[in-house]
Amino acid sequence: LVDAHDRIIAVLGGVPHGSKGKEWQAVEAAAVKCHKSSTFTEAQKHGWRGDFASQTVGYSYGNGRRKPQNYKVSGRANQNAMQELLQNNVIRRISGFQNALFNTFCHKNYVEYRDTNEEIQRKQPELQANFKNTAFAATTFNLGPRSFSPPHMDPDNRASSWCADTNMGPFDPDKGGPLVLWDLGLIIRFPPGSTILFPSALITHSTIPIQAHETRYAMIQYSSGGLFRWRDNGF
């Protein structure tokens, strides 16, 4: 998607190779297993982004944190479930696909994200990167089982750049699950396995509900805007 000056403002990244076969079914199985192996607080099950279970890993700065800190995952069972999910080969491929799209279509921001992460992690080696080669500091897994959100923005995310959102099924994309970008007046078909990158801190967005018997999960990578302020202020 481009603006009136032909600048790219969002990318409909499509589906990575192999995502429609048996390998992609492993992604769905991993998300389901993580959901069943985890316990969630009421806030995690009924957050402001929607009534579905979610878990965030990685690190951030802001909202009362005095320095960049890891997101806390409470309980040994939840920690094990998230580590198993992060080590899943297909989840790692999704991260690589998201990063490749980011680097291809928004290279300058990608480099800034990557360099900022590397600099902060050198200063604070206790911070935990979710994946080996990622420019993003945090990952949220929407674990459903029916993940869809009302209109909202993500004010903690870096306003001048993108988040990367990959959804998972199974669900019929012709009967539910589209991404709505309200400020642009767009309803975008969003099939399972697809990735979209857009400025979630600037554009009001939502997802249309799927059918009652279906499931939808999502993996979103992003970085808090506070991390860049922390870097610019010289730590």
Side-chain angles (χ1 to χ4, degrees):
L1 305 179
V2 297
D3 65 10
H5 300 283
D6 207 33
R7 295 172 296 199
I8 299 173
I9 57 174
V11 170
L12 313 184
V15 178
H17 177 70
S19 67
K20 293 184 178 180
K22 292 182 179 179
E23 188 174 10
W24 185 248
Q25 295 174 4
V27 177
E28 299 169 356
V32 171
K33 182 177 180 180
C34 184
H35 180 273
K36 292 182 176 179
S37 302
S38 302
T39 59
F40 301 96
T41 65
E42 287 304 308
Q44 289 171 323
K45 291 189 291 186
H46 305 286
W48 61 274
R49 290 184 179 90
D51 291 328
F52 52 83
S54 66
Q55 189 72 260
T56 298
V57 287
Y59 57 91
S60 181
Y61 174 65
N63 293 324
R65 300 178 181 90
R66 296 186 177 182
K67 63 178 183 179
Q69 292 179 325
N70 294 314
Y71 283 100
K72 184 178 180 180
V73 179
S74 300
R76 179 63 63 183
N78 291 349
Q79 293 168 4
N80 291 340
M82 290 308 303
Q83 283 305 310
E84 186 174 346
L85 191 59
L86 290 172
Q87 294 302 316
N88 181 282
N89 286 334
V90 185
I91 294 293
R92 295 164 75 89
R93 280 191 63 191
I94 291 173
S95 172
F97 185 60
Q98 291 179 342
N99 275 272
L101 290 171
F102 190 23
N103 189 16
T104 299
F105 291 98
C106 198
H107 177 69
K108 290 183 179 179
N109 274 3
Y110 172 87
V111 170
E112 184 182 19
Y113 271 51
R114 182 199 63 196
D115 292 350
T116 297
N117 274 349
E118 291 177 354
E119 186 175 355
I120 291 177
Q121 288 173 27
R122 282 196 300 269
K123 299 278 186 175
Q124 294 182 237
E126 74 276 10
L127 296 177
Q128 298 172 358
N130 294 322
F131 305 101
K132 183 177 180 180
N133 298 312
T134 183
F136 299 100
T139 306
T140 293
F141 292 98
N142 293 339
L143 296 170
R146 298 177 67 240
S147 304
F148 54 89
S149 300
H152 69 284
M153 292 188 290
D154 300 308
D156 290 339
N157 294 4
R158 182 79 186 277
S160 60
S161 192
W162 299 339
C163 73
D165 186 349
T166 300
N167 70 3
M168 313 170 198
F171 64 89
D172 185 343
D174 294 321
K175 296 182 178 179
L179 175 69
V180 183
L181 301 181
W182 290 85
D183 305 300
L184 304 182
L186 295 174
I187 300 176
I188 301 170
R189 188 176 184 271
F190 198 4
S194 299
T195 294
I196 295 178
L197 297 93
F198 68 101
S200 64
L202 293 180
I203 297 177
T204 301
H205 56 283
S206 64
T207 45
I208 294 175
I210 57 176
Q211 298 179 90
H213 65 279
E214 296 177 328
T215 56
R216 182 182 184 274
Y217 305 89
M219 171 180 165
I220 304 102
Q221 290 198 89
Y222 57 94
S223 288
S224 162
L227 293 171
F228 301 89
R229 294 193 298 274
W230 176 261
R231 178 210 60 193
D232 293 341
N233 290 333
F235 303 96

